[in-house]
Amino acid sequence: MDSVDPPRPGEASFPHQRSRRTEEIIMKTFVHRGQITKVVFGSGTRSRIPEEADALGCGRVLVLCTPDQADQAAQTGELLGAAAAGTFAEAAPHTPVEVTGKAVAYARSVGADAVLAIGGGSTVGLGKAIAARTGLPTGLRDRVKIGVSGKVATGADIVKRLVQGADFTNAARAMMFAIGCIQAQSCHTNACPVGVATRDPRRARALNVDDKSGRVHRFHSATVKSAQQIIASLGVREPADLRPYMLRRRVDPVTVLSYAELYDWLVPGQLLIDLPETWAADRKAADPDRFDA
């Protein structure tokens, strides 16, 4: 596919007739709000940092920077005043796991409710990593644990649920199979043929606890090991590093899409900044005083 560069300011907009003149480019101050971002651009806009932090409801801002940017971070901390929670000046390229862990621990120790990155990719990447692990700027995600049950029998099932946002999974049916359940569907009759769901002493003799408990242990250990292998094959170190794009679904005979493409995923703090249209109905229906399934 051929592409044509757009004309520069002051040049003619006709192809092949680009002006050779060099003109002064005057950058105008502007504010741009995207789907989940807000850009404040212009000379002196750094002075608006306290205002933007206050608009987000953030009163404990952790400033991030690389060692070379410590002076800029200190100036930013002075701007924030009492809202500055501290400075972490160890951001490094490619966001090393050990640096992230140290930064997360520091953020929690100072009670940060937001992070502010000074600089480029190294610092911004660290800010994203901290937000993903702590739920900043709202600070709520780490207080809410999501458990998933239902059709969780294999390591792949566990990884799928973790990618979808679960903190932990529960498995029942698979464990029942491991102790000998044959799905006779007679649990409520007290006449389970394999002694699993009965209080009849004679029928309960069919359940050898010493033997079956070992089977359950081995089954569960193998399931967890399978999940660990799948997570490692995705190139991540721990479940917290799993991301929606790693899980794919075949939506028709010729199309496979990732969960990142299928759904609108919220980033930490997005509900406070800019609610996606696809979430508007759920937000409107939400009521802290009642639950409607």
Side-chain angles (χ1 to χ4, degrees):
M1 178 183 296
D2 295 331
S3 61
V4 179
D5 292 336
R8 297 176 182 173
E11 294 181 338
S13 58
F14 301 101
H16 314 302
Q17 296 183 16
R18 177 171 292 177
S19 171
R20 298 290 184 180
R21 292 182 303 152
T22 301
E23 296 186 0
E24 180 181 3
I25 300 176
I26 301 176
M27 300 299 291
K28 296 182 179 180
T29 299
F30 67 87
V31 175
H32 166 71
R33 184 184 291 274
Q35 181 182 10
I36 59 174
T37 60
K38 179 179 180 182
V39 178
V40 180
F41 181 88
S43 177
T45 51
R46 187 173 65 170
S47 62
R48 290 185 53 180
I49 290 177
E51 176 186 341
E52 295 298 327
D54 184 65
L56 290 172
C58 302
R60 299 285 297 169
V61 181
L62 172 62
V63 181
L64 308 175
C65 68
T66 62
D68 294 337
Q69 297 164 324
D71 290 342
Q72 297 179 48
Q75 295 172 9
T76 302
E78 292 177 1
L79 281 174
L80 286 166
T87 299
F88 185 85
E90 299 180 36
H94 311 301
T95 319
V97 174
E98 57 273 14
V99 173
T100 299
K102 188 175 181 180
V104 168
Y106 181 72
R108 288 172 173 160
S109 70
V110 297
D113 59 8
V115 290
L116 189 155
I118 302 294
S122 298
T123 315
V124 173
L126 178 59
K128 291 179 179 179
I130 295 174
R133 287 163 173 75
T134 61
L136 295 175
T138 63
L140 296 178
R141 182 61 183 90
D142 61 338
R143 304 180 195 177
V144 179
K145 300 303 178 185
I146 301 174
V148 175
S149 61
K151 297 184 178 180
V152 178
T154 68
D157 294 330
I158 294 175
V159 176
K160 287 178 183 177
R161 304 305 183 265
L162 295 177
V163 171
Q164 292 167 347
D167 292 295
F168 63 91
T169 64
N170 292 326
R173 181 176 301 185
M175 299 303 170
M176 292 292 286
F177 292 159
I179 63 175
C181 173
I182 60 173
Q183 289 192 296
Q185 299 183 10
S186 59
C187 306
H188 61 293
T189 67
N190 200 37
C192 173
V194 292
V196 175
T198 180
R199 298 185 65 183
D200 183 331
R202 183 175 63 86
R203 293 180 179 274
R205 290 173 59 190
L207 180 62
N208 185 320
V209 176
D210 292 335
D211 174 60
K212 298 300 175 68
S213 61
R215 293 188 184 188
V216 172
H217 174 73
R218 291 189 293 273
F219 177 84
H220 182 63
S221 298
T223 302
V224 172
K225 183 177 180 180
S226 172
Q228 293 174 327
Q229 290 175 335
I230 294 173
I231 291 173
S233 71
L234 291 171
V236 298
R237 291 177 177 268
E238 57 187 55
D241 295 326
L242 294 170
R243 294 294 180 266
Y245 72 85
M246 297 177 180
L247 180 60
R248 297 179 177 272
R249 174 188 290 179
R250 184 178 296 280
V251 295
D252 62 45
V254 296
T255 306
V256 177
L257 298 175
S258 73
Y259 268 58
E261 298 170 299
L262 287 169
Y263 303 102
D264 286 330
W265 294 80
L266 297 175
V267 299
Q270 186 174 349
L271 290 177
L272 300 176
I273 303 172
D274 194 358
L275 183 70
E277 184 177 348
T278 52
W279 285 77
D282 294 312
R283 179 63 178 268
K284 185 177 180 180
D287 188 330
D289 298 321
R290 62 192 178 96
F291 176 77
D292 292 329

